Every structure is written in C-alpha cells, then in structure tokens.
Amino acid sequence: MPLYLALFFNTGFAIAQEKPNIIFFLADDQNITDYGCYGNDKVKTPGVDRLAKEGMIFYNAFTAQAICAPSRSQLFTGNYPLKNGCFMNHAKTKPTMKSVTTRLTALGYEVVLAGKSHVQPSSVYHWSKEWQPVKTEGKPRAYIPLDSIADYLKNAEKPFCMFITSKYPHGKYFDVPAKSADNYTFFPYDNKQKDNQDYLKKLAGYYRNIEEDNIQLDHVLNMVDQYLGDNTLFIYSADHGVNGKYTVYDRGLNVPFVVRWPKEIKANTKSDALVHYTDVLPTFIDIAGGKAPKELDGKSFLKILKGSKKEIHQYVYGVRTSQNILAASVSPSRMIRSKKYKYIRNFNSVEVVDQNLGDNEAVNAFIKMGALKFKNLPFEELYDIEKDPFEQVNLAKDPKYSKTKDQLAKAMFEWMKNQGDILDDTEGNMPLIHPGKRFRLDQQSKYIDIPDSLVNTLKKEDYLTLDYL
C-alpha cells in the first residue's frame, strides 16, 4: 500500500495515508476551569466542548511552568524547562536540543507553525513553514493565519504536524462592560473579588476573548472536517492558566487537554491519567512510527488514547522562576505532584532567606527583596489534592504527613539533580540569573520599584551567566 493516496473532492484534496496528520491547537493564558466541558457553564467554549464530545478529555494534564516560552519549549522538545534551557520567559532553548522540527522531519513529516512563536533559537526550531499572526480590524489581538492554514490543508501532499498557536485569550482583552458577579464563575482563590468592579470588568473582557478564540477554533475544525480524513489527530490545549501564572499551583500548571482522533479514539471518553507537556513529542514520534530517544523526559501516551488505563507517570514536576519577567524578583520554587499529593519548596521564603545570603551586600539586597515580595509564602507546602483541589490547606507542618512530605521532597531533589537544576539544598545557593538586556533586577521600571541606592549595583560577576543565552 502506498504511503498516501490523493482523493479529489470539490473542496480540494484530502490525504488518505497510513501516517496520521497531527494538529495541535494551543490557546494562550486560559484556566482549565474556564471551559464548559470542564464544568464552567458561565463561559462560552463551543469549539472545545465539541472536541470533548467527539474525543477524549484529560483532567490531569500539566505543564511544568505557568508562563509562555517555558511551557511551549516543553511541547516542542519533550524535555522539562530546566533541561531544555528555557526555564525563564523570553529565554532561549539550549542550541544542543533537538526539537519536534528535527524529530518529525526525520520521520517524513512537514512541521508547521501557524501563529505565535515565542521560542528561539531558529537553529533548534526550523519549521518547514511558518506563518505569523494576522492583525485583525476591531480585535484586541492578532488572529491565527486562517487563510494560510486553509490553503495548506487543501493542498498537503505528505503527512504533517501543525501547531496552531493562538494569541487568545491572553490580554489585551475586549473592552466590554462588566456584568454582575452572577454571570461569572468564582473559585476559592478569587471569591473575594465578587464586589470588585475592576475585577468584574477584567473577567468580562477575558470571557469575551475566550469566545473569540473559540470562533477561530471553530473555523479550523470546519477546515479539518472539510479537507482531511478521519486519520487526523487533533489536540486542543492552553499553555497555562492565567490565574496561576508564574506560580506552581494547579490553577497555573493544570492545563486543558482535549484530543480527537476519529480513527482511534472513542467519542465522549474521559481520562484522569497523569500526563505532561513533555509527553507530547514522544507521543507524536510514536504515532509517526519512530522511537522516542532516551534523553527525552516525556513518555508516549498513545496507549492511553487507544483506551489503556495504565499510568505512565508516578509524578510530574513544576518550576517557578520569577527572574527575567517584567516584575522580576529572586523567588524560585520547585514542585512535585502525584495524583493525590503535591509538595512545593519555595527556596527564598522569608523563613529561610538568611541562609541564602552571602558576602556580597548588593546581591543580598535583591535576595531579601525577593523574599519580602512574597512574605506570606511558606518554605514548604503540601496539599492533599484529592481533598483540597484548590490548595487551600497547607499540610507541610502536620506531623501526620511528615513521611509523605519527606518522600516527595526526596524524589523532587533527585529529579532536580537529573535536570541539572541551578538550585539544590545547599545553604547559600541562591543565584541571580543574568537577564541580558531586559528585566534587570537593579533597574527601575514600571513593574519594578527599587531604592535609588540599588540602581546599577549588580555587576556581571554577580550573576550566574548561562552561556547559551
């Protein structure tokens, strides 16, 4: 049987082939709790809800970092941010990494990016084709390049993997009037905002942006149904939650993940398997007929898509790096999570900040500022996720959970060592990371307010310099 046969339709060409086409639609900054199919009946998400009815919805899918570039780097490399190098926003992936563009091209695929990129360098991410977002009249954000996508789907002559990366619902939001609090869904972390008119107006714009993203998704799904056959794997996700952005709480790291593949996945199925963004590339390699190399952190979840109930992970992990962002600070965290428990260590908590100080007074000043910025953040956090899904009750100091906490901490530090983490359990190890030309800790900005006496006090030798940045 030949690799593919072109079948003519009035609308163009559809490709019937042994290797499936793969499409990954990635939204930007949307909470898992803000979808109809995930239980929120106050928000309009017909496109994603349709996919959930026609495919499989995952409830325990995670990214390791609740911020744009590090989250995307995992999808594209199959490695956690610490290992692939992009563990700060606006940072580069290590040039030694091989991404999806190399892995799937070697297996006969074209690998296409349609929309927002936010990853670099081009030597790692060398797309077969790439189309930028398109400015759209009267909209707060640029659209995905729908015309280019349609033209490609009509005329594709070989199997492809296409990442469609939306700029929605990320702000800037639509300027729409606030409605009463009854029109929105609130959770333990924002329940106190019900009477805050500024917050309600922001929610109104955010919900409207979600609707706009679903309009774009509907266009894409209609194209797929029109031009492609049932051997097309379609995944929808969002890179991280907006309410947990920059954190390692589930509201930032637990991502929506919905998969449709008519040829292989039963409609309206559900999975509580623990899966991770690093698993996406190994799964794509598996689907394409290859074998994922051992240096990848992720594992294929192809068998789960086909109905297996066997878990592929005991734990997933999370990273918080507050340096190299607009409101930069020295306040790193690491997280380990099973399906039942989550352990977090906040390495520069005020509880332990004194042990992070050294001989350099300028460096010490910024370490102290980082700790004070999050003065209510404890050194350790432990949550029973099954009983406390919104992470409200910290069990870290409860002696009944000391064994669980110690087991998770040990496993987390083993993972950190394997990742080549810049942090460890050594007293005084609290590195400042050189940010390049932007987001310097010792520069005044709209987002960073520091005493005049600390401006320009950090020298190059005060930073940990990563040679690939």
Side-chain angles (χ1 to χ4, degrees), residues 168-295:
Y168 283 85
H170 190 297
K172 180 180 178 182
Y173 297 136
F174 277 91
D175 185 7
V176 292
K179 298 179 181 179
S180 67
D182 293 340
N183 291 278
Y184 311 106
T185 301
F186 292 84
F187 302 95
Y189 54 79
D190 68 349
N191 215 29
K192 295 179 180 179
Q193 302 284 1
K194 287 184 176 180
D195 296 323
N196 183 335
Q197 290 303 306
D198 289 338
Y199 189 80
L200 293 178
K201 181 170 176 57
K202 184 177 180 180
L203 269 183
Y206 168 59
Y207 273 38
R208 177 64 185 85
N209 273 31
I210 291 172
E211 291 181 39
E212 199 69 20
D213 196 45
N214 272 253
I215 291 170
Q216 296 176 78
L217 176 61
D218 274 333
H219 283 309
V220 173
L221 290 175
N222 290 336
M223 293 176 199
V224 171
D225 292 346
Q226 185 176 9
Y227 302 132
L228 304 176
D230 65 356
N231 195 19
T232 299
L233 172 70
F234 194 108
I235 298 178
Y236 170 91
S237 189
D239 60 352
H240 56 77
V242 65
N243 281 99
K245 193 166 185 172
Y246 308 116
T247 77
V248 287
Y249 297 120
D250 274 15
R251 59 183 181 267
L253 299 183
N254 186 195
V255 293
F257 204 84
V258 185
V259 188
R260 186 184 76 171
W261 189 4
K263 186 177 179 181
E264 300 289 350
I265 297 175
K266 292 181 181 179
N268 201 27
T269 55
K270 299 173 175 60
S271 176
D272 66 352
L274 201 59
V275 297
H276 196 270
Y277 266 14
T278 56
D279 301 325
V280 169
L281 180 53
T283 303
F284 287 0
I285 292 172
D286 196 2
I287 289 170
K291 185 176 180 180
K294 293 181 179 179
E295 65 262 27

Side-chain angles (χ1 to χ4, degrees), residues 38-233:
Y38 282 100
N40 186 345
D41 61 359
K42 301 292 179 66
V43 65
K44 296 179 182 179
T45 55
V48 184
D49 298 347
R50 169 188 167 188
L51 280 174
K53 291 177 182 177
E54 296 174 352
M56 177 181 289
I57 184 171
F58 284 80
Y59 294 97
N60 283 314
F62 287 85
T63 178
Q65 207 159 348
I67 193 166
C68 288
S71 187
R72 292 157 197 266
S73 73
Q74 300 163 84
L75 285 174
F76 299 149
T77 67
N79 284 318
Y80 277 92
L82 294 165
K83 186 184 286 186
N84 76 49
C86 184
F87 65 98
M88 300 181 295
N89 213 24
H90 310 283
K92 296 179 181 178
T93 301
K94 293 176 182 176
T96 54
M97 286 286 124
K98 292 182 179 179
S99 77
V100 61
T101 59
T102 297
R103 305 287 189 191
L104 290 192
T105 298
L107 295 171
Y109 276 69
E110 285 194 325
V111 187
V112 179
L113 181 67
K116 178 177 176 177
S117 172
H118 217 297
V119 290
Q120 52 182 322
S122 58
S123 60
V124 173
Y125 303 106
H126 43 89
W127 310 98
S128 305
K129 297 181 185 296
E130 180 178 1
W131 308 301
Q132 299 297 319
V134 178
K135 290 184 178 180
T136 308
E137 189 72 25
K139 310 293 184 183
R141 304 282 285 170
Y143 253 44
I144 57 174
L146 289 167
D147 290 344
S148 297
I149 293 168
D151 185 66
Y152 185 87
L153 297 185
K154 282 191 288 186
N155 297 291
E157 296 181 348
K158 61 188 299 186
F160 64 84
C161 173
M162 179 184 290
F163 290 93
I164 302 175
T165 47
S166 175
K167 282 197 165 189
Y168 283 85
H170 190 297
K172 180 180 178 182
Y173 297 136
F174 277 91
D175 185 7
V176 292
K179 298 179 181 179
S180 67
D182 293 340
N183 291 278
Y184 311 106
T185 301
F186 292 84
F187 302 95
Y189 54 79
D190 68 349
N191 215 29
K192 295 179 180 179
Q193 302 284 1
K194 287 184 176 180
D195 296 323
N196 183 335
Q197 290 303 306
D198 289 338
Y199 189 80
L200 293 178
K201 181 170 176 57
K202 184 177 180 180
L203 269 183
Y206 168 59
Y207 273 38
R208 177 64 185 85
N209 273 31
I210 291 172
E211 291 181 39
E212 199 69 20
D213 196 45
N214 272 253
I215 291 170
Q216 296 176 78
L217 176 61
D218 274 333
H219 283 309
V220 173
L221 290 175
N222 290 336
M223 293 176 199
V224 171
D225 292 346
Q226 185 176 9
Y227 302 132
L228 304 176
D230 65 356
N231 195 19
T232 299
L233 172 70

Side-chain angles (χ1 to χ4, degrees), residues 77 130 136 199 310-311 328 386 406 422 434 461:
T77 67
E130 180 178 1
T136 308
Y199 189 80
K310 186 177 180 181
E311 294 283 347
E386 291 181 350
D406 291 346
I422 63 171
H434 200 287
E461 57 268 24

Side-chain angles (χ1 to χ4, degrees), residues 364-382:
N364 288 345
F366 289 99
I367 291 175
K368 290 177 183 177
M369 287 175 60
L372 289 172
K373 183 177 180 180
F374 301 97
K375 61 183 178 181
N376 295 322
L377 210 57
F379 176 51
E380 293 182 300
E381 298 175 70
L382 178 69

